[in-house]
Amino acid sequence: MSQVSSQTSGSKTVAETAFEARFSPRLVAAETYHDPNDVILFMHIPKTAGMSVGKALQAAFDIFHPVSWENTNQSFRNKTRKALYRRSDEANPCRQVLMGHFAWSDVMYWRHQELPLKCATIIRDPLARFVSNYRYNTSDKHPQHKTFAARFPTLESYARVLPYDYQLSLMTGAFYSFDHALEKLNAAYSFIGVTEHLGASLQHLRRSHGLAELTEHRENTGTKTKAAEDIPDAVRNLVGEKSRNDTRLHQLVSRCYS
């Protein structure tokens, strides 16, 4: 894989320009990514409106394959094999989507075999996603919330173990520059949306992939994230320090929908 040049076009790098050409609703023509025999791997990053998106996908695709969160790797491989076997029935095409908490390492297991699989996901502002995830894990909705709260009694204690660029790392694995991460996204993904523009994101997915109407569902929203001034500066700084490229990606994708 050759890296996209970092040379700029106006105020954008070449990689950013190529990224917008692939993902921006303003630049992608209708049905650009349409395939009547699709198999789409929809990566569910925690606390990015996954429950709402999942319900919309179930209605839009012929077959929806939920990937188990208890044994993600094995479930992902089994469900993908099932989807690929169904796809091999060329006389009866259907559109399939897998959704779950799998990661780039799971995706690469299949991409190394040069299979016709598209990737898709929804991202969110790194700080808002982090706070929402912490609150969910410490609420009684999570089966192990007491153990989690004992281990991480404060937002700051959890922020200290936050992986670098959590969202991009799930989406692309390792990368050595922001442009390199964009190049990997361009090669593997056909759709990236943002939680903050969920309705517009789903409409772009519908139009660019030639799907039936995708309806925005508001589920599992819980209480609103604390106002920015209520989040300790130490937490904001830690998350910011560990999410530099996640923040850049979120800003880039958000501009596509604004």
Side-chain angles (χ1 to χ4, degrees):
M1 182 186 295
S2 61
Q3 186 190 10
V4 173
S5 169
S6 60
Q7 147 187 7
T8 60
S9 172
S11 60
K12 302 173 186 175
T13 68
V14 172
E16 289 171 341
T17 300
F19 181 92
E20 291 182 350
R22 183 163 180 82
F23 298 108
S24 173
R26 294 186 296 273
L27 301 175
V28 177
E31 304 209 8
T32 294
Y33 305 119
H34 177 263
D35 181 348
N37 216 3
D38 251 340
V39 178
I40 294 180
L41 309 178
F42 204 104
M43 186 181 295
H44 176 197
I45 298 172
K47 309 315 295 178
T48 57
M51 293 283 289
S52 303
V53 173
K55 190 169 183 179
L57 295 179
Q58 287 183 59
F61 283 82
D62 299 313
I63 301 177
F64 178 85
H65 301 277
V67 175
S68 171
W69 62 270
E70 294 180 321
N71 188 359
T72 301
N73 301 84
Q74 191 60 49
S75 177
F76 177 75
R77 292 190 183 187
N78 290 343
K79 294 290 177 69
T80 308
R81 286 191 182 96
K82 183 177 180 179
L84 289 168
Y85 182 74
R86 177 63 183 81
R87 190 187 191 282
S88 69
D89 183 6
E90 297 179 2
N92 298 290
C94 72
R95 306 192 73 178
Q96 304 177 77
V97 61
L98 289 83
M99 185 176 187
H101 293 305
F102 49 87
W104 182 251
S105 57
D106 301 302
V107 172
M108 286 303 293
Y109 176 81
W110 296 112
R111 285 188 61 79
H112 280 314
Q113 301 179 58
E114 300 181 358
L115 297 170
L117 302 171
K118 298 186 183 82
C119 295
T121 195
I122 298 267
I123 64 173
R124 186 177 180 183
D125 172 77
L127 181 61
R129 193 213 66 83
F130 170 79
V131 174
S132 179
N133 190 53
Y134 179 81
R135 291 191 170 181
Y136 170 72
N137 280 298
T138 54
S139 74
D140 56 12
K141 294 180 180 179
H142 193 281
Q144 298 179 336
H145 65 279
K146 292 182 179 178
T147 301
F148 182 91
R151 184 180 178 191
F152 303 110
T154 65
L155 269 173
E156 184 174 350
S157 63
Y158 192 44
R160 293 190 181 282
V161 300
L162 177 68
Y164 291 107
D165 290 321
Y166 176 78
Q167 295 180 82
L168 253 178
S169 295
L170 286 177
M171 296 165 70
T172 69
F175 55 91
Y176 56 86
S177 71
F178 185 63
D179 280 1
H180 180 221
L182 295 183
E183 183 181 64
K184 295 178 77 172
L185 293 172
N186 287 351
Y189 288 75
S190 60
F191 167 77
I192 301 174
V194 284
T195 303
E196 294 83 357
H197 298 282
L198 185 58
S201 295
L202 291 177
Q203 286 309 306
H204 175 52
L205 175 61
R206 177 197 63 77
R207 181 175 174 273
S208 62
H209 289 69
L211 293 164
E213 190 68 26
L214 277 163
T215 303
E216 180 182 359
H217 299 272
R218 286 296 181 182
E219 297 186 357
N220 197 32
T221 54
T223 57
K224 292 184 178 179
T225 301
K226 280 186 178 180
E229 60 269 19
D230 293 334
I231 299 171
D233 287 343
V235 172
R236 295 171 59 83
N237 292 337
L238 278 168
V239 174
E241 289 168 4
K242 293 185 170 186
S243 307
R244 179 177 65 249
N245 294 296
D246 274 358
T247 299
R248 289 184 68 182
L249 179 67
H250 180 261
Q251 292 171 344
L252 180 59
V253 179
S254 294
R255 285 200 300 269
C256 292
Y257 290 98
S258 60

